[in-house]
Amino acid sequence: MFKQAKWNEKLIFEYDESNTYKLFFEDLPENERIYIMNSIPGKIRRENPPNIPQLSEIEAVRHFTRLSQMSYGVDLGVYPLGSCTMKYNPKINEEIANNDKILWIHPYQDEETIQGILKILYDLSLWLAEIVGVDKVSLQPAAGAQAEFTGCLIMRAYHKDNNEENRTEILIPDSAHGTNPASAAQAGFKVVTIPSDDDGCIDVEALKSAVSARTAGLMLTNPNTLGIFEKNILEVSKIIHEVGGLLYYDGANLNGILGKVRPGDMGFDIVHINVHKTFSAPHGGGGPGAGPIGVKKPLDEYLPVPTVEYDKHKYYLNYNKPKSIGKVKGFYGNINVLLKAAAYILHMGYEGLKKVSEYSVLNTNYFLKLIKDNSYIRLPFNPSIPRKHECVLSLAPLYDKTKVKALDVAKWLLDRGMHAPTIYFPLIVKEALMIEFTECESKENIEKYARALLEAIELAIKEPNKFSSLPQNTSVKRLDDVKANHPATYALSWKMYKKKILSRTPHLN
Ligand SMILES: *Cc1c(COP(=O)(O)O)cnc(C)c1O
């Protein structure tokens, strides 16, 4: 997040090679060259040098150190990005995932030589099944969104098997995460949106009138994206099951109920777990995720192949699942990420996991108490309902008075060296700020964050014009949202950027 001197703003492959000390193969004495060439069999020798940057060690170290200083992460400060559960990744997780015995295993090794890792994966699948209350877990999907898609394919396969291919609709509340309707549509279903009621919960009457023989299932997260527990969940699940539909649990919000209540016991048939959220593996800028998916019987028959099994003598990969929807990920999933989750669960234990949800809920409600008297922030939907692991505020009153938007306040927080909350989600809240501290944040930091937010509001009332040019202190200034979205100007790679942007604005080059 620090400003960097201009001379240092290069991409790694833009360094001037002439400044770099390096030893070329051609510079070696002839006898060494001959020795090296003779020790590499001809058929595996490359014909041309690889197209990689030619940097000295110190330049490579400086480059990556500089990049690490330009970005912000949970290891640097408070990161209350709602819905994302940006919790601390204990460093012992990294150590375990980097253990040589695990790091060098090859996915094509014989099963008998990888019994250790299979046991870890098998045990993890049992722990997750127990935690969410299902019969069988597959660790394969690489993210929550991919698990949702997998779950929708399982729903389709199940209904098809029962000669009910006419079940073409998936019901999704209007507070849902965007991946829910996207996954359902991608799997070929029609999405039917169910409105929320005054308490911010799914409107049960609207649900009753939406279900029919066309209902394939419902996708729901609980606590929902407003951080509110769906108190009618048992009735909701009865309504869906009575018409022959299935319930899918979007597990992104599991942190709010961990160890307290299980989605399986609420009536959900298919459940995913974002181990990169609830179980501490770093994600977003910090690394890839994993989205294990669990099901109740008889849906286990449809899980992706292979599943990891144990026959009391050995662990093995089971490909013998004739009803499986097939493969959704290369090999067995993002094992490195899964290992971090396994390490986290082991060192937290049952009591520790319960504390996670208790502290994350406590942190949210403490924060709400600190800001509740400010009349420019609103807590939409019934404010007397305690929130769980996260809360959604509306800055609509501030906007109405000053035209300062949630976006501007978020940029102000970035300028102060704090990560902004999630903004403009869920879609049903105007000028939304979605805040989730997780259990990891200290009381002091929550107080500091609340003070910063109140200070931003005070400033917005006094000097609203100051906000449109923020942020000033970050390595990247305010982005142009239109350019970032328009096909003529967005650039997803350096090559695209050079072609689309720099060619037209050579003075910037
Ligand atoms: C993060 C999230 C998802 C998607 O999970 P990914 O692992 O990011 O694909 C789905 N629903 C909610 C509520 C989320 O917060």
Side-chain angles (χ1 to χ4, degrees):
M1 296 281 268
F2 301 111
K3 282 186 192 172
Q4 296 289 323
K6 189 77 190 162
W7 60 269
N8 219 2
E9 282 182 0
K10 277 185 192 166
L11 296 180
I12 196 157
F13 46 82
E14 289 183 308
Y15 279 84
D16 181 358
E17 287 188 20
S18 61
N19 288 336
T20 311
Y21 170 77
K22 53 190 172 279
L23 190 62
F24 284 111
F25 182 66
E26 292 75 23
D27 300 332
L28 295 172
E30 191 181 359
N31 59 339
E32 283 190 30
R33 272 188 283 150
I34 291 170
Y35 175 77
I36 291 172
M37 290 310 270
N38 285 345
S39 40
I40 305 172
K43 65 173 186 206
I44 63 165
R45 260 181 240 156
R46 60 162 71 244
E47 284 169 8
N48 299 303
N51 184 19
I52 53 173
Q54 302 280 330
L55 290 186
S56 63
E57 181 171 319
I58 188 169
E59 280 173 313
V61 166
R62 282 179 180 166
H63 177 79
F64 287 109
T65 306
R66 179 175 64 84
L67 285 186
S68 76
Q69 289 178 347
M70 283 172 74
S71 52
Y72 186 94
V74 74
D75 285 359
L76 199 59
V78 51
Y79 204 140
L81 200 57
S83 214
C84 294
T85 312
M86 305 300 286
K87 67 167 71 174
Y88 176 66
N89 172 46
K91 295 302 164 251
I92 190 168
N93 294 358
E94 296 297 326
E95 222 163 283
I96 288 166
N98 282 326
N99 184 307
D100 274 357
K101 290 187 180 133
I102 285 165
L103 215 53
W104 295 104
I105 294 175
H106 195 280
Y108 283 134
Q109 262 174 254
D110 280 348
E111 259 167 39
E112 63 201 63
T113 68
I114 52 166
Q115 287 293 299
I117 191 76
L118 290 181
K119 174 176 167 49
I120 296 174
L121 297 177
Y122 181 77
D123 286 353
L124 176 63
S125 76
L126 295 189
W127 299 335
L128 292 174
E130 175 65 25
I131 287 169
V132 300
V134 295
D135 296 315
K136 182 80 188 165
V137 164
S138 159
L139 302 170
Q140 228 179 81
Q146 201 189 14
E148 291 169 19
F149 179 64
T150 305
C152 289
L153 294 185
I154 290 174
M155 282 194 199
R156 207 173 61 185
Y158 170 78
H159 290 312
K160 192 171 171 217
D161 245 10
N162 293 328
N163 294 318
E164 293 201 323
E165 279 172 280
N166 54 335
R167 294 191 179 271
T168 52
E169 295 178 354
I170 290 192
L171 316 183
I172 301 177
D174 59 3
S175 61
H177 193 260
T179 51
N180 294 183
S183 306
Q186 187 80 9
F189 289 102
K190 183 176 162 221
V191 174
V192 178
T193 306
I194 310 295
S196 301
D197 64 13
D198 293 343
D199 283 347
C201 294
I202 190 165
D203 186 325
V204 174
E205 291 312 310
L207 181 70
K208 278 183 191 160
S209 52
V211 292
S212 70
R214 292 186 305 278
T215 304
L218 169 86
M219 293 178 93
L220 196 67
T221 175
N222 192 16
N224 62 29
T225 61
L226 298 162
I228 295 172
F229 191 83
E230 295 277 351
K231 60 183 185 307
N232 300 318
I233 185 59
L234 293 178
E235 190 184 353
V236 166
S237 94
K238 195 162 155 241
I239 293 167
I240 298 296
H241 284 149
E242 270 176 4
V243 297
L246 295 169
L247 274 94
Y248 184 95
Y249 181 80
D250 170 351
N253 293 331
L254 192 62
N255 214 50
I257 55 167
L258 203 54
K260 296 289 168 184
V261 56
R262 309 188 306 172
D265 299 335
M266 297 177 206
F268 288 95
D269 307 287
I270 312 175
V271 176
H272 88 240
I273 302 130
N274 303 64
V275 296
H276 47 283
K277 295 180 180 174
T278 314
F279 298 109
S280 88
H283 62 128
I293 184 169
V295 294
K296 286 196 187 145
K297 280 179 176 151
L299 298 175
D300 56 330
E301 297 180 62
Y302 304 94
L303 282 175
V305 279
T307 47
V308 186
E309 314 281 358
Y310 180 55
D311 67 6
K312 302 267 185 286
H313 300 287
K314 62 176 193 318
Y315 297 90
Y316 65 100
L317 296 162
N318 182 10
Y319 284 89
N320 184 18
K321 294 173 91 75
K323 288 189 174 179
S324 164
I325 59 159
K327 248 179 147 5
V328 298
K329 174 86 177 74
F331 302 112
Y332 327 113
N334 274 339
I335 288 186
N336 179 282
V337 179
L338 296 165
L339 275 168
K340 293 174 195 176
Y344 181 76
I345 292 172
L346 269 183
H347 83 240
M348 295 301 278
Y350 176 52
E351 288 305 319
L353 293 178
K354 268 202 301 195
K355 285 271 182 302
V356 162
S357 55
E358 286 168 11
Y359 279 106
S360 76
V361 172
L362 182 65
N363 281 352
T364 307
N365 289 285
Y366 180 57
F367 170 74
L368 281 174
K369 208 164 165 55
L370 296 174
I371 51 118
K372 77 172 182 355
D373 294 333
N374 191 296
S375 55
Y376 296 98
I377 314 176
R378 212 161 55 80
L379 181 61
F381 301 99
N382 191 345
S384 68
I385 300 175
R387 270 37 178 185
K388 290 282 181 255
H389 62 300
E390 65 190 355
C391 61
V392 179
L393 306 171
S394 169
L395 287 185
L398 181 73
Y399 178 75
D400 292 344
K401 164 125 177 121
T402 62
K403 296 288 172 266
V404 172
K405 298 179 290 218
L407 175 77
D408 301 322
V409 170
K411 301 294 185 198
W412 188 88
L413 288 165
L414 294 184
D415 241 7
R416 278 305 202 71
M418 300 177 172
H419 203 286
T422 298
I423 53 175
Y424 301 111
F425 173 66
L427 305 178
I428 51 174
V429 175
K430 279 191 192 148
E431 297 300 326
L433 294 182
M434 182 187 219
I435 302 180
E436 175 181 13
F437 286 104
T438 81
E439 69 286 359
C440 302
E441 221 44 77
S442 67
K443 180 165 174 278
E444 190 188 341
N445 278 346
I446 293 168
E447 287 163 357
K448 210 162 122 190
Y449 205 83
R451 272 201 304 277
L453 186 58
L454 296 176
E455 194 185 321
I457 288 168
E458 207 180 304
L459 266 176
I461 293 161
K462 278 198 211 128
E463 301 182 273
N465 300 332
K466 280 208 164 159
F467 278 74
S468 57
S469 60
L470 301 180
Q472 293 292 333
N473 299 327
T474 50
S475 46
V476 176
K477 303 287 172 295
R478 184 167 294 214
L479 298 172
D480 185 328
D481 294 342
V482 177
K483 267 193 185 163
N485 280 297
H486 196 282
T489 42
Y490 70 57
L492 300 177
S493 66
W494 178 241
K495 272 188 192 155
M496 272 169 98
Y497 181 73
K498 280 204 138 161
K499 202 164 141 201
K500 287 185 179 176
I501 318 276
L502 290 186
S503 61
R504 271 186 243 140
T505 50
H507 58 285
L508 291 178
N509 202 339

